[in-house]
Amino acid sequence: MFRADRIDALVAQAQATGRAPSLIIGVLRDGGLAHVAAAGQTPEPDPDTQYRIGSISKTMTAVLLLQQRDEGRLDLDDPLDRHLPDTPVGTVRLRQLLGHAAGLQREPDGDWWERSAGADLDTLLAGLTAAKLAHPPHRTFHYSNLAYGLLGAVLERITGESWWKLVRTRLLDPLGMVRTSYQATEPFARGYVVHPWHGTLREEPRTDTGAMAPAGQIWATTTDLARWAAFLAAPDPEVLAPGTLTEMCVPVAISDLDSWTAGYGLGLELHRVGDRVYVGHGGSMPGYVATMSVHRPSRTGVVGFANSYGFRSGALPALGRQLLSTVLDSEPVPVRPWRPASAPPAPEIAELTGRWWWMGREVEVAWDATTDELLITQLASSAAAPWRFGRDGTGRWRGRSGLNDGEILVVRRDPTGVAAALDIATFVFTRDPDRTG
């Protein structure tokens, strides 16, 4: 078991040095909330107390958009114009907006939107000008809240439903996130700015951000945010296909070109810490900061909130990643016991298992009954990811992971019908190490 007292000590130290009225961290293990560490008294933190999650809302907007893609209502490479006609930025693509690679400026026009009541969608669209494109697409990573306001508008135009209704009915209700809401509902933590000289608190406004809500409106509890983190680790297929969630974790842009330790996928921040990659998002709104980091292979994560804008510089997300590494370093990933498998469903699949060679290189083909896939391991390279192939309904096999993800495997048979070779993307593996093809 990880050292809970170590987590508690780090949280207490962060609350004291960061001068947070309250700070709460939840540790997620194997899909459940395993530990809660809290410090501060204003209010006394509790897993059922709401805080504002800020830009973590973007992860929900992104999942909603990917749901629509999977249901055939849009393509990620659609230009914005296809769904929001006649805007002066309509040439940018939905994928670029999701990954902050469209070159769009960070904010809409007007006073700082996070502290001001938001405008409606018509006003937001009317404020768009061609000058809002600060960079050509894919020139650089440029974080844009405005991009997510526009993505929320796309969702509303496609579905005929409000963004918030989509969040509630398609995400929160299926996942049992009953304490996540559009506006604060008691009990909730008030948000503050801490005076830099005498430590007094100034309460911040709790605005309705209007058409910009898809970028950062939502309120949630530690318990509910842990449920969302668990979903990002291992999604419920009834809500989002696991392969789609994996697609969201593919970098669209690298946001840290000096060290390549941070990037952005489709609505998800990516951070490389040592030999691990964490996915999630940070969030901030006036008086609040939030963090969510997940290590998907181990289904381990950290979520947290503070009700002080003093953490805005990134201290809370950095603390979250530090705590996640502390947990993973101190507690090995649980070993899943081996269990006997069922036989391959047909003799023509069973005969594919065993050793095959190409150019003197040996692979081993096994059958994974749990996923209904061929699992191909490169025996000379134990560190390489296995290749997984699933049946594509045409008598062929389609790669699902590893080097040959998306490639085609065709079984070549001799005149008697026996499997004689495996043609994997034109690389022909045979049973005889002395020949190929």
Side-chain angles (χ1 to χ4, degrees), residues 52-62 97-100 141 143-145 148 214-216 225 228-229 232 248 263-271 278-284 289-294 302-305 316-318 320-321 324:
R52 208 161 192 177
I53 72 173
S55 286
I56 297 175
S57 305
K58 291 181 174 71
T59 65
M60 298 183 185
T61 300
L97 293 169
L98 281 166
H100 300 293
F141 173 83
Y143 191 88
S144 176
N145 288 308
Y148 273 76
L225 192 57
W228 183 244
L232 296 180
M248 295 176 68
Y264 207 93
L266 298 173
L268 292 172
E269 292 178 346
L270 313 171
H271 290 274
Y278 300 156
V279 305
H281 217 288
S284 65
V289 287
T291 188
M292 175 182 64
S293 287
V294 177
V302 165
V303 298
F305 300 105
L316 186 59
R321 293 190 292 273
L324 181 51

Side-chain angles (χ1 to χ4, degrees), residues 52-55 58 106-118 143 145 204-209 212 215-217 282-289 309 312:
R52 208 161 192 177
I53 72 173
S55 286
K58 291 181 174 71
R106 188 172 61 247
E107 313 296 355
D109 287 339
D111 294 337
W112 182 33
W113 73 273
E114 292 179 345
R115 285 191 98 247
S116 303
Y143 191 88
N145 288 308
E204 286 291 282
R206 296 180 288 277
T207 54
D208 181 338
T209 55
M212 289 295 291
Q217 174 69 33
S284 65
M285 290 293 282
Y288 301 92
V289 287
Y309 214 50
R312 182 175 170 80

Side-chain angles (χ1 to χ4, degrees), residues 90-142:
T91 59
V92 299
R93 310 284 171 163
L94 302 184
R95 185 188 308 277
Q96 296 163 351
L97 293 169
L98 281 166
H100 300 293
L104 206 62
Q105 284 188 350
R106 188 172 61 247
E107 313 296 355
D109 287 339
D111 294 337
W112 182 33
W113 73 273
E114 292 179 345
R115 285 191 98 247
S116 303
D120 61 19
L121 179 56
D122 288 341
T123 302
L124 178 68
L125 296 178
L128 291 176
T129 65
K132 283 296 182 184
L133 289 171
H135 306 281
H138 291 292
R139 171 71 59 83
T140 184
F141 173 83
H142 190 77

Side-chain angles (χ1 to χ4, degrees), residues 1-13 27 35-37 323 326-327 330:
M1 181 63 181
F2 63 88
R3 289 280 305 275
D5 59 339
R6 175 63 176 156
I7 302 297
D8 293 342
L10 288 170
V11 169
Q13 180 66 34
V27 177
H35 180 68
V36 175
L323 296 176
T326 298
V327 172
S330 62

